Amino acid sequence: RQHASVQNLRAKIANGDLGKVNLVHGSYLQDWLLYETDFNWRLAPEVGGKSRAVADIGSHWCDTVQFVTGKKIVEVFADLATVIPVRKKAIGSVATFSTQSTEDVEYEDVSINTEDYASVLVRFQDGSRGVFTVSQVSAGRKNRLSFEIDGSKSSAYWNQEEPEKLWMGHRDKPNEILLADPALFAPEARSAIHHPGGHNEGWPDALKNMMLNYYTFIRDGKDPLKDQANFATFEDGHISMAITDAILESHEQQKWVKVQANKEVLV
């Protein structure tokens, strides 16, 4: 949410620059569990939960596109798969994302019951459609959250691995690449960018924005039950959990499932 270009795209959509949002599609791809010898606590459902790829990274994709479009996901149809059903767990300690050599390492076989991959059809509250894929076994993709918003006037595409770029697609004129630059941003998004154009901002700056917005909200004495927060809240977290639950149910039953988000649990 807090990447400068994401904030700018949200403002552009709210201002009608893309027209009516018709389609949303994209993916969140990683490769840190590509090999059968890759192992981490997230693989164990008794520790990490019964969903892995969807809960770990798919939740962020859903939250981001809901934030950007201003539309809630209300129904899902999901297909999940465990690409590597048996992994080799090192007997001993190996750090997450480690590049440590696997030579001379002893392993034990562990059956895997959480998903490496998922593709999910989604329906938004206004009837618009979308689809996304998540994978933790896609070679070369390190942290590639990407999405495209297709509107009635133009389209926009953003990729977290190149966060300073926003692709704008048109039918009747050349497409554009909008580089992050406060002089070119919508007024509503300028507070999210802190350096001049060409001085690329990225993941650490997004985290800085999150904490800046959070502590400013507290400093200004705002009420989370009344005032609109400019950061993800517990309610947003609950919605992400509700979407994940619906995705798991959809996969198990192979049917469309409505997202059951309940605000009462937050009061």
Side-chain angles (χ1 to χ4, degrees), residues 18-50:
L18 273 65
K20 177 181 177 293
V21 172
N22 294 320
L23 305 172
V24 183
H25 49 97
S27 61
Y28 200 152
L29 310 176
Q30 299 175 330
D31 70 357
W32 67 285
L33 291 173
L34 177 63
Y35 302 132
E36 64 175 4
T37 52
D38 292 324
F39 201 88
N40 177 266
W41 61 267
R42 290 177 178 84
L43 292 156
E46 66 273 15
V47 180
K50 58 184 178 180

Side-chain angles (χ1 to χ4, degrees), residues 74-87:
V74 296
E75 199 168 9
V76 297
F77 196 124
D79 180 42
L80 281 59
T82 304
V83 177
I84 303 177
V86 177
R87 289 183 179 267

Side-chain angles (χ1 to χ4, degrees), residues 117-168:
Y117 152 89
S119 282
V120 184
L121 296 171
V122 300
R123 290 174 178 164
F124 293 89
Q125 66 196 87
D126 65 345
S128 54
R129 302 298 207 267
V131 60
F132 71 93
T133 293
V134 293
S135 165
Q136 294 175 321
V137 291
S138 295
R141 302 304 190 185
K142 304 306 176 184
N143 198 40
R144 193 174 187 274
L145 187 163
S146 64
F147 58 87
E148 181 170 320
I149 313 290
D150 295 336
S152 58
K153 295 180 181 178
S154 59
S155 299
Y157 169 81
W158 183 79
N159 164 24
Q160 186 173 244
E161 290 185 342
E162 298 178 293
E164 77 284 1
K165 297 179 181 179
L166 180 64
W167 177 88
M168 303 296 297

Side-chain angles (χ1 to χ4, degrees), residues 59-256:
S59 56
H60 292 291
W61 190 92
C62 292
D63 180 75
T64 305
V65 299
Q66 288 180 116
F67 172 76
V68 167
T69 63
K71 305 175 189 297
K72 297 298 184 186
I73 294 171
V74 296
E75 199 168 9
V76 297
F77 196 124
D79 180 42
L80 281 59
T82 304
V83 177
I84 303 177
V86 177
R87 289 183 179 267
K88 296 185 179 299
K89 180 182 179 182
I91 300 175
S93 178
V94 177
T96 302
F97 311 119
S98 172
T99 56
Q100 175 181 330
S101 172
T102 57
E103 294 181 9
D104 303 321
V105 177
E106 285 190 72
Y107 296 96
E108 59 178 334
D109 288 345
V110 177
S111 296
I112 303 301
N113 300 307
T114 54
E115 76 280 359
D116 298 305
Y117 152 89
S119 282
V120 184
L121 296 171
V122 300
R123 290 174 178 164
F124 293 89
Q125 66 196 87
D126 65 345
S128 54
R129 302 298 207 267
V131 60
F132 71 93
T133 293
V134 293
S135 165
Q136 294 175 321
V137 291
S138 295
R141 302 304 190 185
K142 304 306 176 184
N143 198 40
R144 193 174 187 274
L145 187 163
S146 64
F147 58 87
E148 181 170 320
I149 313 290
D150 295 336
S152 58
K153 295 180 181 178
S154 59
S155 299
Y157 169 81
W158 183 79
N159 164 24
Q160 186 173 244
E161 290 185 342
E162 298 178 293
E164 77 284 1
K165 297 179 181 179
L166 180 64
W167 177 88
M168 303 296 297
H170 308 288
R171 172 171 171 171
D172 299 322
K173 62 179 181 178
N175 297 334
E176 305 168 278
I177 299 292
L178 174 58
L179 294 178
D181 183 341
L184 301 175
F185 270 26
E188 305 94 312
R190 285 177 191 154
S191 63
I193 188 167
H194 304 280
H195 304 300
H199 297 74
N200 296 340
E201 299 182 21
W203 178 250
D205 301 282
L207 294 177
K208 177 178 68 177
N209 283 338
M210 176 182 69
M211 300 313 299
L212 174 64
N213 291 335
Y214 178 76
Y215 284 115
T216 300
F217 192 90
I218 295 173
R219 183 195 64 191
D220 293 347
K222 293 185 176 180
D223 184 344
L225 296 179
K226 298 178 182 178
D227 299 311
Q228 180 66 43
N230 54 355
F231 50 85
T233 65
F234 281 104
E235 180 179 350
D236 295 312
H238 169 65
I239 290 170
S240 290
M241 293 294 290
I243 292 172
T244 300
D245 284 344
I247 288 172
L248 290 177
E249 182 181 343
S250 171
H251 173 69
E252 291 169 0
Q253 300 189 15
Q254 286 296 284
K255 68 176 187 179
W256 284 97

